[in-house]
Each structure stands twice: as C-alpha cells, then as structure tokens.
Amino acid sequence: MQDSCLPSILTLHFNTFLQDKQKSQATNSAPSGRKMATLKPSSLFLNSSISSSSNSKQRGIIRATINIPNRVNNISLPGLQTRGLMAEQLQDQLHKCTDIPLSPVYVETVTRNERNGPDSLVVEKLYAILEAVADRVEMHNNIGDQRTNWNSLLLTSINALTLAAATMAGIAAISAGAPAVAIKLSSTLMYVAATGMLSVVNKIQPSQLAEEQRNAARLFKQLQCQIETTLSIGNPTAFDVKEMMDKVLALDKAYPLPLLGAMLQKFPATVEPAVWWPEQRRKQPRTGNDQSYNGWDGKLEEEMREIINVIRRKDEEDYLRLGGKALKLNKILAVSGPVLTGLAAVGSALVGSPSHGSWAVVLGVVGGALASVVNSFEHGGQVGMVFEMYRSNAGFFKQMEESIESNLEEEDLERRENGQVFEMKVGLQLGRSLSQLREMAAASSVKGEDMDEFASKLF
C-alpha cells in the first residue's frame, strides 16, 4: 500500500508544480523561485525514497532497520497553503501514507547457551595443572641431564684415582727410602678416597637415577598431551580435573626429585613393576553416543581377556625375570668395587714390608686394576639403568592389564571407554594392527600357555 501512495503524491506534487510554473510566467520571478526552492527538496526526497526502495527490492537485502513512529503528525507545506483544494488533497495523501503501520523486520539471532559450554572454572583448573605438568617436564629433563653428567664424571674420576693409585703402588715397590714412603702413602690415600666414592656412587646409582628422570619426563609429557587433548575436545568436567590431579601426584610419588629421604630403593629384595598411575576409578557415563553398547560386544571382551593372559604370561613375566638378573649382577658389582679398592689400599700400605713380601705389591696393583674394570663395567655399562628399564617395561604391561581389567569389570557399558577406540589404543601400545591383535588373541585361545609369541612387538 505504501507503493500505491507514493505515485499519487508525486502526481499531485507534479500538477501543483506545473500550475506554479504557468502562473510564474505572469508574475514576478522572485516569489516563484522561492516556491520552487520549497518544492524541489521534497521532490528529491521522494525520488530518492523511490530509488532506494526499488534498489532494495532488486537486491533483496535489508541493510538496516530504523524504527520511526507509525504516524507523523503536523506535516506542513508552507509553499502550498495558498493553493486551496490542491494543497488539501496533497496533505490528505501524505496523512494516509503516514497512517500505514510499518511492518517490523524480524532478525533471527543465535544466542549461546552458557550452560552447554565448558565450565570456565574447570577449564581454568586444567590449565593450571597443564602449567605445573609442563614445569615438571622441564625439571625432570634438567635433573636427568645433571645425573647423566654425574655418572660420566664420577666414573672418569674414580677410574683415574684407582689407576693412579695402582701405578704409584708399583713405583713404590721398586723405590727405596723417603720417596718410596711418600709414593706409598699417596697411593693408599687415593685408594681410600676411591673406596669412599665408589661406596656412595654404588649406593645412589647415577645411571639408574638418570633413567628414572627420563621416564618421568616422558610420562609427564604424555600427561601433558592428555590434558591438551581433553581441552581441545571440549566440555571437560570436574572428574577430569580430579583424574589429572591424581595422575600428577602418582607420578611425583613414583619418580621423586630429591635424593635424601625420598630416593627409590636401588637394591630391592624382590623385583616388582614400576607403578606410576593412580588407582583405576569408575569413569563417568558418556552421553551422545550413537553406537549401541558403546562399541563393546562379547567378541571384543573375549579378545581383551586373551590379551591380558598373553601379557601377564609372556611379556610382564619376561621383563621381571630379566630385571631380576640385572639386579643380581648390579648387587655383585656394587659390592665388588669397594672391596677391591679397599684391599688394594691395604696392599699399597704394606708395600716394602719385609714380612709380606711380594703379596702386598700384587694386591696393591692388581686390586686397583680389577676395581677399575668392575667400576667401568657397572657404571660405564649402566647396569642400574638396565634394571630400571626392565622394571619400567614391566610396569607398562601391568598398567595395560589394569586398564583392560577395569573396563571389563565395569558392568555399565556407558562408563567404559569406547570399545573400538580402546581396541585401537591397545593395538598401538603393543605395536600391532587390529587384524594382528585379533589373530594373536585367537592363537592364545587355542594354544594357551604353549604359545611362544609375545604380545608386544615394540620391545
């Protein structure tokens, strides 16, 4: 209806303008010029309104919405008040157009529901844990490098002391007088120093300490990736915060930073797998899962049970056996080194004594040489690191066992990890494809304990 009003107004306006122009020819030009000046802005306004309206219809796009009153009162046309009926008709047409109510333009907006998004406090806590974990990664890397340097520097220093003392004991045997006594005394002191240093080094096992820090840095880095994945997937919960906190504290307990008071026992009575994870807890039920039974079925459960049997029977048992052998060897070497340097110190002190003869020289020289060999084999070969590696590998398989068992023991399928994703994770951890994993489980169900194949193909 607005479109029909605008042509009527223009027609009346144009007729009025023509009449003014005809009369202006007989009258003074100044007044008519004033009236034309009064009408031309209105004409421009109406023309621009029509042009704008037509352009908007052609584009089909609403650029903006301006709220104006539904009725505009007291529109006055001062230049038309002497025109009588024509001015009244124009005035009526304008009022009719302004009486038309404007249709509101409805703009659809999307409002974010804050309740559906992640809890800002939970996200803030996870970021705080993430910062602490990143700091621990750096700390364990630095301390691991420091203890690796300890191992190499102490190995070189002790071997240098031992070999120098053995050489000086031999020189003292072929010397006489005051120089022989000085050389013999120096050799004895160097052997005593080497014995004390060896006792301390064999107690703390720097190579094993360095391996512990490397494992801790790797596991904290793994935990850092888990937190970042949880944040990137979105919608973390308070359960995730609790779980990550427990994992951080469990790692701190498994791989302590200080040496005194909190250091792990280097020569345990029995070999047990390393444990760096908290107790398995019930997971929260997952919502929005379109898969029936959360990806689990009887065949997958039976497959996981067979994998547990293979891991426990082959991989974990084998690494515990190898760890036990490495521990026995390390104990023998840790005791032999200080004993040999102590005997060499006694022999060097008795060099030149008539009552002991050549035995003191043999003990002082050969004992020192053997002590350097034992020390080089123990710390140069990093036997303590090998023991820790076996213990850590056994802990890796034990963690896999507990993870699989916790999922199988959970009766509520929605609280389990998705079966297909979990199967893929197990395959990746064991270095097997899904088909290889299923073939291994099938072979275990047929052969049982006679199966020679290990579950892991990585190590």
Side-chain angles (χ1 to χ4, degrees):
M1 187 168 180
Q2 289 176 348
D3 295 338
S4 63
C5 289
L6 290 174
S8 300
I9 296 172
L10 288 176
T11 302
L12 293 172
H13 193 275
F14 184 68
N15 293 334
T16 305
F17 176 72
L18 289 178
Q19 292 175 5
D20 289 339
K21 186 175 182 182
Q22 292 174 358
K23 292 180 180 181
S24 65
Q25 294 176 357
T27 59
N28 192 3
S29 60
S32 64
R34 184 171 57 252
K35 294 172 184 177
M36 290 178 64
T38 305
L39 292 172
K40 284 181 179 180
S42 300
S43 176
L44 292 174
F45 170 76
L46 294 172
N47 289 335
S48 63
S49 300
I50 295 172
S51 174
S52 176
S53 175
S54 62
N55 291 335
S56 299
K57 289 180 180 178
Q58 290 175 0
R59 291 192 299 270
I61 300 174
I62 297 175
R63 294 298 183 185
T65 301
I66 302 176
N67 294 324
I68 62 175
N70 291 336
R71 180 180 179 88
V72 180
N73 296 322
N74 299 326
I75 296 179
S76 62
L77 299 173
L80 297 178
Q81 292 185 2
T82 61
R83 299 294 180 265
L85 181 60
M86 191 66 66
E88 293 179 359
Q89 291 178 354
L90 181 59
Q91 191 79 11
D92 292 339
Q93 290 293 335
L94 287 173
H95 282 296
K96 288 180 181 180
C97 291
T98 55
D99 285 339
I100 299 172
L102 296 177
S103 300
V105 178
Y106 295 98
V107 180
E108 183 179 359
T109 59
V110 179
T111 303
R112 177 183 174 185
N113 188 359
E114 297 294 340
R115 294 183 180 179
N116 295 333
D119 188 352
S120 59
L121 181 59
V122 171
V123 172
E124 186 177 355
K125 289 181 179 179
L126 282 177
Y127 272 112
I129 297 174
L130 184 62
E131 292 176 1
V133 169
D135 184 60
R136 279 171 169 77
V137 171
E138 190 68 21
M139 284 193 298
H140 283 284
N141 280 329
N142 294 339
I143 294 179
D145 293 340
Q146 179 194 55
R147 291 174 182 178
T148 300
N149 292 334
W150 283 3
N151 185 63
S152 59
L153 292 174
L154 289 171
L155 170 65
T156 303
S157 301
I158 292 172
N159 281 346
L161 285 173
T162 304
L163 293 176
T167 303
M168 295 176 72
I171 295 174
I174 59 176
S175 301
V181 175
I183 294 173
K184 180 176 66 174
L185 182 59
S186 299
S187 174
T188 303
L189 291 176
M190 293 175 71
Y191 271 132
V192 171
T195 303
M197 293 176 65
L198 264 179
S199 300
V200 175
V201 171
N202 291 346
K203 177 67 176 178
I204 65 174
Q205 293 290 318
S207 64
Q208 187 172 346
L209 290 174
E211 180 66 14
E212 291 173 3
Q213 301 308 312
R214 284 191 290 268
N215 287 335
R218 178 181 64 84
L219 293 171
F220 272 114
K221 186 68 175 178
Q222 186 181 44
L223 181 59
Q224 182 180 359
C225 294
Q226 292 177 4
I227 299 175
E228 291 174 349
T229 302
T230 302
L231 289 169
S232 63
I233 292 176
N235 201 21
T237 61
F239 179 83
D240 296 322
V241 175
K242 175 65 175 174
E243 183 181 11
M244 298 305 172
M245 279 291 297
D246 291 343
K247 288 182 178 181
V248 171
L249 297 178
L251 278 171
D252 288 338
K253 182 179 179 181
Y255 298 103
L257 290 171
L259 288 177
L260 301 177
M263 184 179 65
L264 296 178
Q265 190 175 0
K266 298 299 180 287
F267 302 99
T270 58
V271 181
E272 295 181 357
V275 178
W276 60 80
W277 60 93
E279 183 181 357
Q280 298 289 342
R281 298 177 181 271
R282 293 191 68 190
K283 297 184 178 296
Q284 284 186 329
R286 299 181 180 271
T287 58
N289 190 1
D290 296 333
Q291 297 181 353
S292 58
Y293 304 110
N294 197 19
W296 288 88
D297 54 24
K299 183 178 180 180
L300 181 58
E301 290 183 353
E302 186 62 28
E303 176 187 337
M304 291 297 152
R305 289 190 180 93
E306 292 299 331
I307 292 173
I308 291 177
N309 293 333
V310 176
I311 290 175
R312 183 180 294 120
R313 186 173 58 245
K314 301 294 294 184
D315 299 78
E316 183 180 352
E317 182 180 351
D318 187 65
Y319 278 108
L320 290 176
R321 178 180 59 83
L322 293 174
K325 290 183 177 181
L327 178 62
K328 289 180 181 179
L329 177 61
N330 200 26
K331 285 181 178 180
I332 293 172
L333 295 175
V335 172
S336 300
V339 169
L340 288 172
T341 53
L343 292 176
V346 173
S348 63
L350 298 176
V351 169
S353 176
S355 59
H356 295 87
S358 61
W359 286 104
V361 179
V362 171
L363 189 61
V365 175
V366 175
L370 288 176
S372 63
V373 171
V374 170
N375 184 47
S376 298
F377 185 76
E378 179 183 8
H379 298 289
Q382 300 187 14
V383 180
M385 181 273 294
V386 173
F387 165 69
E388 181 62 28
M389 181 185 67
Y390 287 146
R391 195 174 73 94
S392 178
N393 290 344
F396 169 77
F397 290 113
K398 184 176 179 61
Q399 184 188 27
M400 286 192 65
E401 290 178 23
E402 292 188 5
S403 178
I404 297 174
E405 288 176 349
S406 65
N407 277 277
L408 294 178
E409 291 174 357
E410 179 58 63
E411 297 180 356
D412 187 359
L413 297 181
E414 293 299 327
R415 289 183 179 271
R416 295 183 183 182
E417 190 172 354
N418 183 272
Q420 297 179 4
V421 177
F422 187 72
E423 183 184 19
M424 183 184 67
K425 286 183 178 180
V426 172
L428 291 173
Q429 289 175 342
L430 296 178
R432 292 177 177 268
S433 65
L434 295 180
S435 59
Q436 292 175 341
L437 194 67
R438 292 162 186 165
E439 290 173 0
M440 185 263 293
S444 174
S445 63
V446 174
K447 296 181 181 179
E449 296 184 358
D450 296 333
M451 181 178 176
D452 295 331
E453 186 179 7
F454 287 86
S456 176
K457 286 190 173 183
L458 290 178
F459 47 84

